[in-house]
Amino acid sequence: MHLYFETSYMTKILSIFETEYDLAKALIKRDPIAQRTFYDKFSGKFLGICCRYISDVMAAEDIMVESMMKIFEKVNQFGFKGSFEGWAKRLVVNEALMYLRSKKMFEVTMEDMHELQNSYSQNMDFESEELLKLIQALPNGYRTVFNLYAIEGYNHNEIGELLGISEGTSKSQLSRARVILQDQLKKNEKYGYSI
Amino acid sequence: MDPIDKLFSDKLKNHEVQPSDRANILFLSKIEKKEEKKKPLFWWTMSLAASLLIVGFAGFYFYSSKKQNTVDLAQNTEKRQEDVKLSENAEIQNSTLPKSQENVLEPLKEVGEKGFSKSVTVKHTSKIVEEQDLVVSDKSSQLSEYQPTKEVLKSVQIAKIDEKAQVASAIVPNQETLIFLTPMLAMNGAMNPHQKALTMKALQSNSENKEDYFSEEKSLFVRVIDEVKNLKKGEKVDFNKLGFKPIEELALNQDGFIVSESHQIKEKLNWIKSRLNNN
């Protein structure tokens, strides 16, 4: 349910911006309708990203709104190359990371890498919200690295540059995150998704 | 790809979380703040531009009106010069002294009731009086009464009015001659030709004709000069002729601002004095 417009009216508005490039051009012109359209279209996705990095929902919402403002400010830097949505999502991730850095929530600990016996559950039918809760339950460092590697698709070198850590640390953090998640998945499977 | 990674990636990559009303209101407030920030700047620039335009138009208007006034003034002065020329030319024909003659004018007769010396001697230099040199006088009848003599004094020069020049040469009276010229003539060119002509008229004209003397045609400048002369003789100044009231009379005006303010101050001072005396 949209806050500002009814669905039919929203459809009309969206039809004005046939492509995301049209929307980007309108945002460059600081069109207020375009800004509200962009918020309605992408606020859910961006909040989903923020919730993966920041466990506190209210803080995640604040970061999402801040990300929107940042996008409106920097939209003129979008070179109209590639996906506008992908460009905007990267900005949101950066905002989330900056928030974590400011709060010093990277609990990155140096741990020796060790092989883990990964026994995966056969039943992988989990709801998205349940999985989100599992990620939010991870320690900050593990959660961040897992998000960047598994979902955003960064490699360990890029993660090291983003977070200011070494590749080895990034790998160990990822490994630990997987172990914890696996355990959690098994437990939930055992108890029938009751988290 | 690791199965765990794949699981979480597939489920959470495009997962959406609906923002709460709090988040929506926060977004709206931030948007509105940005729009409000723009407006003052817009209005500031517009108001600045409008004020500059107004100043520009006002300056253009005043400049053009001033230019018009100077053009009118130039035209008027040209007319006056022409008038003076015409009158002077007419006088020249009647009153130019013959060349190669060194002449001395006999004393002028009484030329005015007030402020003028009764006997005056004006003497020419040894210079030949050329046709261009003008003896500015009122009418030919005046000069025809005088009989020139042969004595010549070099220290006296006749006032000249050049065809082009606005400035008259200084008139240096001889010791034996009494001044018949107004102070303003002695100031060496403070007057324009028109004023000078009028002044000379006033000097040499038959001032028994009071109507001419007090006529409105006489400029304020001339009237003021006459009253100054009267003052020198010890007479009181008649402000009615001049057309304005003196400062003292203005100050005595009971309805005036100056009187009322000074009156109030006096009253207060008296009140303070009375209080002090009582104490």
Side-chain angles (χ1 to χ4, degrees):
Chain A
M1 185 177 171
H2 299 289
L3 180 66
Y4 314 109
F5 308 104
E6 293 180 0
T7 312
S8 59
Y9 185 58
M10 183 62 186
T11 310
K12 283 180 188 175
I13 293 294
L14 281 173
S15 66
I16 296 170
F17 310 107
E18 290 179 356
T19 63
E20 59 180 18
Y21 277 19
D22 293 335
L23 187 58
K25 285 172 188 174
L27 287 172
I28 289 169
K29 291 176 185 175
R30 299 180 187 274
D31 183 13
I33 294 174
Q35 289 174 344
R36 283 161 172 78
T37 306
F38 185 83
Y39 182 85
D40 281 340
K41 193 176 180 184
F42 294 108
S43 59
K45 280 185 186 177
F46 291 172
L47 186 56
I49 293 170
C50 294
C51 286
R52 283 194 278 112
Y53 288 90
I54 303 165
S55 53
D56 182 16
V57 177
M58 282 179 69
E61 283 179 343
D62 293 340
I63 297 303
M64 183 272 291
V65 172
E66 286 294 326
S67 306
M68 286 287 183
M69 296 298 117
K70 235 352 144 38
I71 290 164
F72 297 156
E73 279 175 35
K74 294 188 176 181
V75 67
N76 54 349
Q77 296 175 13
F78 175 61
F80 292 90
K81 292 176 184 178
S83 169
F84 179 56
E85 185 180 340
W87 176 85
K89 278 183 177 177
R90 279 194 291 277
L91 272 177
V92 175
V93 170
N94 284 334
E95 279 298 306
L97 292 176
M98 279 171 63
Y99 171 80
L100 291 171
R101 194 175 297 121
S102 67
K103 297 288 181 184
K104 296 180 183 178
M105 293 173 98
F106 288 130
E107 295 169 4
V108 178
T109 55
M110 296 293 293
E111 291 182 358
D112 295 332
M113 280 188 63
H114 57 278
E115 290 183 3
L116 297 167
Q117 288 183 344
N118 295 323
S119 57
Y120 301 108
S121 168
Q122 289 180 358
N123 189 359
M124 296 292 237
D125 187 18
F126 293 98
E127 296 296 329
S128 302
E129 289 180 6
E130 295 161 353
L131 295 175
L132 180 62
K133 285 178 183 175
L134 290 177
I135 281 184
Q136 286 177 342
L138 285 172
N140 292 326
Y142 300 162
R143 182 170 69 242
T144 306
V145 171
F146 182 82
N147 275 316
L148 288 170
Y149 186 88
I151 302 173
E152 312 306 341
Y154 289 99
N155 59 36
H156 288 293
N157 190 23
E158 289 166 344
I159 292 168
E161 285 178 9
L162 277 171
L163 302 181
I165 56 175
S166 63
E167 278 190 47
T169 307
S170 173
K171 287 176 183 176
S172 67
Q173 296 293 313
L174 176 66
S175 177
R176 296 296 300 170
R178 283 172 179 166
V179 168
I180 293 169
L181 287 171
Q182 189 182 348
D183 293 339
Q184 292 296 320
L185 284 170
K186 278 184 178 178
K187 283 180 185 176
N188 290 335
E189 191 185 55
K190 184 180 177 180
Y191 295 105
Y193 316 121
S194 58
I195 297 171
Chain B
M1 193 176 185
D2 193 277
I4 298 288
D5 295 351
K6 193 174 183 310
L7 173 67
F8 281 90
S9 174
D10 290 343
K11 293 285 183 180
L12 296 179
K13 192 160 190 175
N14 294 316
H15 178 66
E16 292 187 18
V17 177
Q18 285 301 321
S20 63
D21 291 341
R22 178 191 153 275
N24 296 333
I25 291 164
L26 181 64
F27 173 75
L28 271 176
S29 63
K30 284 186 182 282
I31 290 286
E32 282 167 9
K33 267 184 190 175
K34 277 196 173 184
E35 286 176 359
E36 280 174 6
K37 273 182 187 176
K38 285 179 197 173
K39 277 180 186 176
L41 186 66
F42 172 76
W43 285 115
W44 271 112
T45 52
M46 287 296 113
S47 60
L48 190 66
S51 56
L52 283 170
L53 268 173
I54 290 164
V55 167
F57 279 127
F60 178 74
Y61 172 75
F62 284 117
Y63 174 74
S64 60
S65 63
K66 197 179 179 183
K67 210 179 178 181
Q68 188 64 30
N69 288 339
T70 53
V71 167
D72 294 339
L73 189 67
Q75 288 172 356
N76 288 337
T77 51
E78 283 174 5
K79 278 185 186 176
R80 284 178 186 171
Q81 283 178 12
E82 286 173 4
D83 293 341
V84 168
K85 271 189 209 174
L86 288 170
S87 63
E88 285 165 354
N89 286 333
E91 287 161 4
I92 287 167
Q93 288 171 6
N94 294 322
S95 63
T96 44
L97 299 172
K99 287 186 184 179
S100 72
Q101 277 195 6
E102 296 167 347
N103 300 315
V104 173
L105 298 174
E106 284 190 351
L108 291 171
K109 292 188 178 177
E110 183 179 340
V111 292
E113 288 184 352
K114 299 176 184 179
F116 301 115
S117 55
K118 290 192 178 178
S119 63
V120 169
T121 306
V122 177
K123 299 183 180 178
H124 292 280
T125 58
S126 57
K127 258 190 178 178
I128 296 169
V129 178
E130 296 175 4
E131 284 185 4
Q132 287 182 354
D133 296 342
L134 305 171
V135 176
V136 180
S137 60
D138 184 20
K139 293 170 184 179
S140 57
S141 59
Q142 298 290 329
L143 282 174
S144 62
E145 296 175 5
Y146 308 128
Q147 295 175 2
T149 61
K150 292 186 180 178
E151 291 181 7
V152 176
L153 295 172
K154 296 181 182 178
S155 61
V156 177
Q157 294 176 357
I158 300 172
K160 293 183 184 179
I161 295 176
D162 200 8
E163 284 184 0
K164 292 179 187 178
Q166 307 291 325
V167 178
S169 58
I171 296 172
V172 182
N174 194 359
Q175 287 180 356
E176 298 176 4
T177 59
L178 298 175
I179 297 167
F180 74 98
L181 301 163
T182 62
M184 150 228 24
L185 274 177
M187 282 186 327
N188 187 20
M191 291 189 297
N192 59 31
H194 180 64
Q195 283 176 336
K196 208 164 268 188
L198 284 173
T199 312
M200 296 308 290
K201 258 192 183 178
L203 284 173
Q204 296 174 10
S205 66
N206 186 0
S207 59
E208 291 176 356
N209 188 0
K210 288 187 183 180
E211 290 177 1
D212 290 338
Y213 183 76
F214 297 123
S215 67
E216 289 178 356
E217 291 178 356
K218 289 187 185 294
S219 67
L220 176 67
F221 188 76
V222 172
R223 282 182 269 148
V224 167
I225 294 297
D226 292 337
E227 290 301 319
V228 167
K229 278 184 265 177
N230 295 342
L231 200 64
K232 273 188 172 180
K233 283 189 80 181
E235 294 183 11
K236 281 188 181 178
V237 177
D238 189 357
F239 287 98
N240 289 327
K241 290 178 194 171
L242 297 173
F244 58 84
K245 294 178 183 177
I247 291 170
E248 291 83 12
E249 196 173 327
L250 286 170
L252 290 171
N253 186 7
Q254 293 295 329
D255 298 330
F257 170 75
I258 298 167
V259 170
S260 65
E261 285 294 306
S262 57
H263 187 64
Q264 284 176 16
I265 291 165
K266 276 182 187 173
E267 278 184 351
K268 281 182 184 174
L269 283 170
N270 291 333
W271 180 79
I272 291 165
K273 277 182 187 173
S274 63
R275 289 293 293 251
L276 287 170
N277 290 335
N278 289 339
N279 290 337

